[in-house]
């Protein structure tokens, strides 16, 4: 792993666009503490960190903190700037966001992870970094130290809701699973029903009525979906052959009905109470659905 602490903040000049801000430079940010956050809109690990980033941005903005989001896409459809704008709106992000479609900023930082946090002092030097979820109180303490302040932490009162809720790690036994041939792996835990074509990043449904079954053990089940069609694609979710009822996710009703409108991560299942192994089936009522990856929480 490349050592980043002690290095100056790399250049932002290879950004392909800016949202929520005019273009910024590493030089123009000198004199402020900067928290650089690498994210991509379909990443469940980033979604669960975002409530903390919003809280820190709002709590310490007047003290000299700039939270700087760098959106570097994992999947092709995440290059769409309008889709990034919608994600910013959905997540109520009001801090500057770099559009990094060509991985220029990602490469400049020698980054390899979503999410990844880099803590930059007022002199422009990276003093700390963290990859993935967790370590929220320690990260906030780093922010306070770089700002030269000490007060009650806001991290202790942050509580994510919906897809932003923290995972139930004690019950999460099913790993992230990709459906495209580039990273997909054969498994007896999931299978495609109906007529599908497998592409590098995703599997795309050719005829209405096809679906995916997945045997999983986790509180939450999510699926990254997209479509090239202009019209929404209705889908239906079942658990162990029945409507999900009170185990439905935020993108599905109790009867299992959902609608694929735009490319993003869809929460299909959230089990209340005792978590147990279940068989999830999602059936699409029209062709054209592109299924990228299952994630769990």
């Amino acid at each position: 792993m490349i050592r980043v602490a002690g290095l100056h903040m790399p250049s932002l000049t290879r950004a392909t666009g800016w949202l929520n801000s005019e273009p910024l430079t590493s030089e123009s940010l000198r004199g402020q503490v900067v928290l650089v956050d690498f994210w991509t809109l379909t990443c469940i690990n980033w979604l669960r960190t975002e409530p903390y980033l919003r809280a820190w941005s709002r709590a310490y903005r007047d003290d000299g903190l700039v939270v700087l989001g760098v959106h570097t896409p994992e999947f092709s459809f995440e290059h769409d700037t309008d889709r990034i704008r919608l994600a910013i709106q959905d997540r109520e992000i009001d801090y500057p966001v770099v559009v990094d479609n060509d991985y220029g900023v990602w490469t400049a930082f020698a980054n390899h992870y979503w999410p990844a946090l880099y803590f930059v002092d007022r002199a422009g030097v990276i003093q700390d970094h963290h990859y993935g979820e967790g370590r929220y109180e320690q990260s906030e303490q780093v922010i306070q130290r770089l700002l030269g302040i000490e007060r009650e932490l806001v991290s202790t009162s942050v509580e994510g809701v919906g897809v932003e809720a923290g995972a139930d790690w004690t019950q999460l036994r099913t790993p992230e699973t990709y459906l495209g041939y580039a990273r997909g792996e054969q498994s007896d835990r999931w299978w495609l029903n109906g007529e599908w074509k497998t592409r590098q990043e995703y599997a795309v449904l050719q005829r209405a009525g096809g679906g995916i079954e997945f045997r999983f053990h986790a509180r939450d089940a999510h699926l990254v979906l997209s479509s090239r069609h202009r019209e929404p694609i209705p889908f239906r979710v079942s658990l162990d052959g029945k409507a999900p009822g009170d185990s439905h996710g935020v993108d599905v009703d109790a009867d299992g009905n959902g609608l694929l409108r735009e490319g993003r991560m869809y929460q299909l299942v959230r089990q209340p109470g005792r978590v147990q192994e279940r068989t999830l089936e999602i059936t699409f009522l029209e062709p054209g659905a592109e299924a990228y990856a299952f994630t769990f929480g």
Side-chain angles (χ1 to χ4, degrees), residues 50 56 63 99 103 106-107 180-181 194-195 242 271 292:
E50 178 53 30
W56 295 335
D63 299 297
V99 180
Y103 277 61
W106 175 283
T107 302
Y181 64 73
E195 187 175 336
K242 300 177 182 179
Q271 297 189 70
Y292 287 76

Side-chain angles (χ1 to χ4, degrees), residues 19-291:
L19 299 172
N20 287 351
S21 171
E22 295 298 318
L24 301 171
T25 66
S26 301
E27 292 73 23
S28 70
L29 289 166
R30 297 282 172 84
Q32 300 178 89
V33 172
V34 182
L35 175 56
V36 180
D37 168 48
F38 282 89
W39 64 289
T40 187
L41 65 92
T42 60
C43 177
I44 183 58
N45 307 100
W46 168 74
L47 285 163
R48 294 191 292 238
T49 66
E50 178 53 30
Y52 295 89
L53 291 159
R54 287 197 303 270
W56 295 335
S57 178
R58 295 166 187 175
Y60 299 107
R61 184 173 298 163
D62 293 340
D63 299 297
L65 175 69
V66 176
V67 176
L68 180 63
V70 181
H71 184 273
T72 311
E74 179 176 13
F75 300 119
S76 297
F77 72 84
E78 294 177 287
H79 287 74
D80 184 350
T81 303
D82 288 338
R83 182 81 281 283
I84 303 170
R85 283 196 184 94
L86 186 55
I88 289 172
Q89 177 182 322
D90 289 345
R91 305 271 71 84
E92 299 181 353
I93 294 171
D94 59 1
Y95 49 79
V97 172
V98 178
V99 180
D100 188 34
N101 281 346
D102 294 339
Y103 277 61
V105 181
W106 175 283
T107 302
F109 274 78
N111 186 54
H112 300 282
Y113 306 98
W114 298 281
L117 298 178
Y118 296 88
F119 301 79
V120 184
D121 68 15
R122 296 184 190 272
V125 177
I126 298 173
Q127 294 293 342
D128 195 13
H129 63 278
H130 177 67
Y131 304 131
E133 300 178 58
R135 208 198 74 160
Y136 300 116
E137 293 183 21
Q138 183 180 342
S139 290
E140 187 175 356
Q141 289 168 347
V142 172
I143 293 170
Q144 290 194 2
R145 176 172 58 81
L146 296 180
L147 290 171
I149 61 176
E150 185 176 351
R151 58 176 182 251
E152 185 177 353
L153 301 178
V154 300
S155 298
T156 57
S157 60
V158 171
E159 184 175 357
V161 297
V163 297
E164 294 183 341
D168 183 348
W169 297 108
T170 63
Q171 294 296 326
L172 205 170
R173 302 175 189 171
T174 305
E176 182 175 26
T177 301
Y178 291 89
L179 304 183
Y181 64 73
R183 288 187 285 179
E185 297 181 2
Q186 294 294 325
S187 171
D188 60 0
R189 300 190 68 85
W190 68 274
W191 53 95
L192 301 172
N193 297 323
E195 187 175 336
W196 293 79
K197 286 189 176 180
T198 304
R199 308 296 191 196
Q200 183 173 352
E201 289 188 330
Y202 58 87
V204 56
L205 182 62
Q206 303 298 296
R207 293 182 183 275
I212 310 169
E213 291 186 58
F214 204 118
R215 188 73 176 167
F216 74 98
H217 193 293
R219 183 194 66 199
D220 305 337
H222 316 97
L223 178 57
V224 176
L225 293 168
S226 187
S227 170
R228 313 278 169 116
H229 292 196
R230 292 189 176 184
E231 295 300 318
I233 296 176
F235 61 82
R236 187 169 295 121
V237 169
S238 67
L239 278 176
D240 301 328
K242 300 177 182 179
D246 61 1
S247 292
H248 69 90
V250 297
D251 293 302
V252 177
D253 65 21
D255 294 324
N257 300 304
L259 201 60
L260 165 54
R261 295 183 181 275
E262 69 276 325
R264 61 178 174 87
M265 190 201 75
Y266 288 75
Q267 186 182 82
L268 307 180
V269 175
R270 167 157 289 167
Q271 297 189 70
R274 187 172 69 90
V275 174
Q276 55 186 314
E277 186 166 283
R278 311 292 293 271
T279 297
L280 159 70
E281 183 174 10
I282 179 170
T283 303
F284 299 93
L285 307 186
E286 299 291 342
E290 299 171 355

